Amino acid sequence: MTDASPRFALPFIVPGQAAKEEFHNEALALLDGLVHAAVEGAPAAAPPADPAEGEAWIVAAGATGEWAGRAHCLAIRSAGGWRFVAPVPGLSVWDKAAGLRRAWTGSGWSDGAVSAAALVIEGQQVVGPRQGAVASPSGGTTIDTQARAAIDALIATLKSHGLTE
């Protein structure tokens, strides 16, 4: 039997252990920061000067002070000081300052981009996988420059939204 959980290293209470409440309370403090996690802002390299209990931050690479050596971890402020949780792929947090979700990819925190196979609204797929390029109109016996300009504008819009190559 191990003494901590496999994903977030939450401490287990083991048979014959003294001060069981300390291990239980430590696990609860970590869970409090992880369940529906929210961070104050973008990754930071230095701890805030006066953090409130319950605030959480993403530790940036090259962190200093109490955060040194904790790059990419979640730093959660508690009554007992800083608690750190190493992220696992799929962990996501709400960035309060930016108003977006950040997710740990396994090598870094996302910038709010959302990955999905499709966008479905009320049961209807409205965006799916990216399609190939759409050619601009050419040829024909009657050339309508206004219609071609409108079609080119539509193609440019599809490209700018990433829907076509």
Side-chain angles (χ1 to χ4, degrees):
M1 178 174 178
T2 63
D3 59 352
S5 67
R7 289 185 2 136
F8 292 114
L10 301 173
F12 287 150
I13 296 172
V14 295
Q17 180 179 39
K20 289 177 175 21
E21 67 279 356
E22 290 179 26
F23 291 87
H24 177 75
N25 290 342
E26 178 66 18
L28 288 177
L30 291 169
L31 281 172
D32 186 62
L34 285 170
V35 176
H36 300 291
V39 296
E40 300 305 311
D50 191 24
E53 196 171 324
E55 285 184 347
W57 300 83
I58 295 172
V59 180
T64 60
E66 293 178 89
W67 289 3
R70 301 289 191 155
H72 309 300
C73 286
L74 239 51
I76 304 163
R77 187 63 181 190
S78 69
W82 290 107
R83 287 180 161 71
F84 299 95
V85 177
V88 297
L91 175 66
S92 66
V93 299
W94 181 253
D95 182 328
K96 295 180 194 178
L100 54 80
R101 182 139 316 273
R102 294 183 182 277
W104 177 251
T105 65
S107 60
W109 287 95
S110 70
D111 59 0
V114 175
S115 296
L119 175 60
V120 177
I121 298 175
E122 293 184 358
Q124 296 293 315
Q125 179 174 319
V126 294
V127 179
R130 186 176 192 193
Q131 301 299 304
V134 177
S136 291
S138 63
T141 56
T142 304
I143 296 176
D144 183 336
T145 56
Q146 289 178 325
R148 285 188 178 188
I151 292 169
D152 281 337
L154 288 170
I155 292 169
T157 300
L158 291 171
K159 286 180 182 179
S160 73
H161 286 286
L163 298 174
T164 63
E165 293 180 16

